[in-house]
Amino acid sequence: MARAGDFARLPLSAARRIALRPRPPPRPLPAPPPAREQVSLRRMVRHGSLSTLRHKPFRLFLLARLISMSGTAMAPVALAFAVFGFDSSPASLAIVLAANTAPQLVLLLVGGVIADRFSRQRVIVIGNVLPAVTQGCVALLVATGTATTGRIALFAALAGCASALTQPAMNSLLLQLVDPGELQQANALMRLPGNLIRILAPAVGGALVALVGPELTLGWDAASFAVAAFLCGRLDVSGPAKTAASVFRDFKDGWKEFSRLFWIWSYTLSGTVVVALWLGGYQLLGPVMAQNSHLGAPSWGIVQGAFAAGLLLGGIVSLKWKPSRIMVVCVCANLPLALPFLALAWGAPLAVLAGASVMAGIGLDIAIVCWNTAVQEQLPSEVLGRVSSLSSAGELMSVPLGYLVVGAAATSLGTESVLLWSAALMVLASLVLLLAPSVWAVRRLPADPGPAAVAAGDQDRGARTGRAPDQVARP
């Protein structure tokens, strides 16, 4: 069988004919490039940090995400005032919120199996249609005055089921929408609309509730899901190959892949500590400290806005900065989460606390983008849904326990001490990962890989995942 090098050996006569072939006339020199400030948006889209927007399926998916987030981000404000409209007890709102969250903890692992067995596009479409119906029913109940805690909690639970079954497919679909080397840009762009909306949504949602009422605001949430389902239905992506394996076998294979890779399960284990302490310290003890100090509720709102602005800035940074050792950056980006805890414990002024929250937001968004990109690049596509669901479930399962432990510890030890200890444990849980060689070994794929770079990426992934290069599925 001929080798590639044999075709490079040409006869001397052929080489002379090529050398003596008349050359075309020289082309005129191109015009000098424009100044940096005059670079067109089209050039940025084709060659720069927005190059992923040249893919029509990705643009549709991004637009669907933007529209659905515009309703989802305002829904909590509208839902709270809708519940308080017929029952002013905080326990009723707590029941509704718990009904929405509990199914996600239970069904998230099932969603991972579904994402790898069925068409991810269809799963996402159904996952948007169901909350469109449930939120529409809630808006109708509120508008007709027939809403009760039990009825709204039922629809909230159905929406939570849809979210749990859809999220792994959402995390896995990007592999089919963009090139392998563009995953980090795609992940950053997918988070930017949500981060921007998180800054604007509380004020806009409150204004809409005051102007048109909670029922119409919830109605817009339902409509946004319906539009997102329509846009996702236009995506032209293929589904996975049919398999005769059972659901239990699929879950077992996903767990095997998850537990075999140290850098994945160790980061997830670290995340159970960091997420639980972060939510318990920042969301639970933060308002307590603000209320008991000179800050007060308005200042705490500024701090929350600063954190959201940091998330937005982190997404912008991720568009331009593409580190090679992506997992090392992912681990280190979690360290700034301790800064707001230190500022709160030491009674820092508002400007310092807001600055610490900005840094925490920047680091958190960079960590999320790097983690999603690393998992999508390094894992075979056919197990990505199950592994991502195991990682998400591992972090979420510790959240209720974190609230209870942090609250009890603050009562007995004092809020300042708990914040300092939480900051120390969060830093330690992150830094210990840097001792693992496998964390340092994970490298990001080139930004614009050609065939050789893709082949090299497959060789690298095969070495880390224990599969031969031809066994590693590429998007």
Side-chain angles (χ1 to χ4, degrees), residues 324-369:
S324 174
R325 298 190 185 274
I326 190 168
M327 276 306 298
V328 174
V329 173
C330 180
V331 171
C332 294
N334 284 306
L335 298 178
L337 290 175
L339 294 178
F341 286 31
L342 300 177
L344 284 169
W346 291 335
L350 177 59
V352 175
L353 180 57
S357 297
V358 170
M359 296 301 298
I362 292 174
L364 180 59
D365 207 78
I366 291 175
I368 293 174
V369 170

Side-chain angles (χ1 to χ4, degrees), residues 378 441-445 455-465 469:
Q378 304 298 323
V442 178
R443 292 178 178 268
R444 189 182 59 85
L445 290 181
D458 286 345
Q459 295 276 358
D460 198 24
R461 273 197 290 182
R464 296 190 191 110
T465 60

Side-chain angles (χ1 to χ4, degrees), residues 221-426:
D221 188 26
S224 68
F225 278 115
V227 174
F230 171 76
L231 292 175
C232 290
R234 298 181 61 190
L235 296 176
D236 185 16
V237 294
S238 60
K242 293 184 178 180
T243 175
S246 64
V247 173
F248 178 76
R249 178 65 181 179
D250 281 350
F251 177 78
K252 184 178 179 181
D253 291 343
W255 171 258
K256 182 179 179 180
E257 191 76 17
F258 173 83
S259 60
R260 191 168 56 85
L261 300 175
F262 178 84
W263 64 274
I264 288 184
W265 67 257
S266 62
Y267 186 81
T268 301
L269 185 61
S270 171
T272 60
V273 177
V274 173
V275 171
L277 293 177
W278 166 254
L279 294 178
Y282 192 74
Q283 292 192 355
L284 181 61
L285 299 185
V288 174
M289 289 291 293
Q291 185 66 27
N292 297 336
S293 65
H294 62 282
L295 295 175
S299 297
W300 184 246
I302 295 175
V303 173
Q304 293 279 60
F307 177 71
L311 291 173
L312 181 64
L313 292 175
I316 296 174
V317 170
S318 297
L319 279 176
K320 304 295 295 183
W321 182 41
K322 302 175 180 62
S324 174
R325 298 190 185 274
I326 190 168
M327 276 306 298
V328 174
V329 173
C330 180
V331 171
C332 294
N334 284 306
L335 298 178
L337 290 175
L339 294 178
F341 286 31
L342 300 177
L344 284 169
W346 291 335
L350 177 59
V352 175
L353 180 57
S357 297
V358 170
M359 296 301 298
I362 292 174
L364 180 59
D365 207 78
I366 291 175
I368 293 174
V369 170
C370 288
W371 168 252
N372 289 338
T373 304
V375 172
Q376 291 162 357
E377 288 184 347
Q378 304 298 323
L379 288 177
S381 176
E382 63 268 16
V383 298
L384 184 57
R386 283 163 283 176
V387 173
S388 64
S389 67
L390 285 167
S391 174
S392 299
E395 294 180 352
L396 289 177
M397 288 174 64
S398 65
V399 172
L401 181 62
Y403 281 128
L404 295 176
V405 171
V406 170
T411 302
S412 58
L413 301 177
T415 305
E416 293 83 357
S417 299
V418 172
L419 286 171
L420 291 175
W421 277 106
S422 297
L425 290 175
M426 289 166 59

Side-chain angles (χ1 to χ4, degrees), residues 180-205:
E182 298 173 332
L183 283 171
Q184 181 173 331
Q185 296 177 359
N187 281 301
L189 283 173
M190 288 297 295
R191 288 189 55 80
L192 278 175
N195 293 334
L196 180 60
I197 290 172
R198 285 187 184 95
I199 299 176
L200 304 175
V204 175

Side-chain angles (χ1 to χ4, degrees), residues 139-227:
L140 185 61
L141 289 174
V142 174
T144 57
T146 57
T148 63
T149 301
R151 291 174 180 174
I152 293 185
L154 174 61
F155 288 118
L158 292 175
C161 292
S163 177
L165 298 177
T166 307
Q167 194 59 45
M170 294 275 292
N171 295 337
S172 309
L173 187 63
L174 284 183
L175 287 167
Q176 299 175 264
L177 303 182
V178 299
D179 294 336
E182 298 173 332
L183 283 171
Q184 181 173 331
Q185 296 177 359
N187 281 301
L189 283 173
M190 288 297 295
R191 288 189 55 80
L192 278 175
N195 293 334
L196 180 60
I197 290 172
R198 285 187 184 95
I199 299 176
L200 304 175
V204 175
L208 283 178
V209 170
L211 291 175
V212 299
E215 61 275 10
L216 291 182
T217 307
L218 291 170
W220 165 245
D221 188 26
S224 68
F225 278 115
V227 174

